Amino acid sequence: MGWNTSALFARGEDVLALLPVPVTPTGATATADEATSGLAEEVVYVSRAEEWQQLWDPSVIHLADADTGQNSLSVFFFGVSSSYGFILVEDGEVVRRLIYVDGEPSIDEGEPLPIEAEIPHPSWGPDEDWVWAIIKDVTGITYDEDRIFEVYACQD
C-alpha cells in the first residue's frame, strides 16, 4: 500500500492536548482512508471511539514535536523510504522506541514487547502490517474502514 503517515494513540488523555499547535474543529468528518493517508498538511484527524483516542497526521508535521503524554503509542509509516517505527510511553516514561530504516533498526531502545517476536518480518524488513500488529497489541485498535474521524484545523 505504501503508507506515509503518522499517528498518536493516547489512553486517558485528550489526544489533541498533546499537539504542539492549537487546533479548531472544522465540523467536517473523514473516512478512515482519508484520515490515515490523506495529503492535507493543515489538518489532523481524531477518533475517540475507544479507551485509546487516536490522532492521525498524514503530513507528519504536527506529531513530530507532540508531547508523548502519560500513556501513548506514537507510530509512523514511511513506505516510500521503508521507514517504520513506534514509541511506547507508559506512566510518562518512554519504555520502548524502535525505528527501522531500510529494513534495519536505526533506534532500538527499551525492552522488546512480546508481540515483536511474533510478528513475521518480510525479507525487506518491517512494513505496514508490522506497525498495525504493534498498534493492535498495545491499544486493541485495528484498521476499521468504517470508522469516522473528526477533522481539526491546525493553527501553525
Side-chain angles (χ1 to χ4, degrees), residues 1-5 36-37 39 77-82 84 127-128:
M1 182 171 179
W3 291 33
N4 289 293
T5 190
T36 60
S37 61
L39 298 177
F77 309 73
F78 297 132
V80 173
S81 65
S82 295
Y84 301 92
D127 59 9
E128 291 85 359

Side-chain angles (χ1 to χ4, degrees), residues 56-132:
W56 288 84
D57 178 13
S59 70
V60 191
I61 294 170
H62 307 291
L63 285 184
D65 294 321
D67 184 343
T68 59
Q70 290 299 303
N71 295 288
S72 68
L73 175 67
S74 301
V75 298
F76 66 88
F77 309 73
F78 297 132
V80 173
S81 65
S82 295
S83 300
Y84 301 92
F86 71 94
I87 301 169
L88 179 62
V89 176
E90 294 177 348
D91 298 322
E93 299 292 326
V94 174
V95 296
R96 183 71 169 133
R97 184 184 335 243
L98 182 57
I99 298 172
Y100 282 88
V101 177
D102 292 326
E104 298 295 325
S106 65
I107 297 175
D108 186 349
E109 300 170 349
E111 290 297 316
L113 303 178
I115 188 66
E116 291 178 53
E118 299 173 21
I119 306 170
H121 281 243
S123 61
W124 58 86
D127 59 9
E128 291 85 359
D129 293 336
W130 178 83
V131 177
W132 274 108

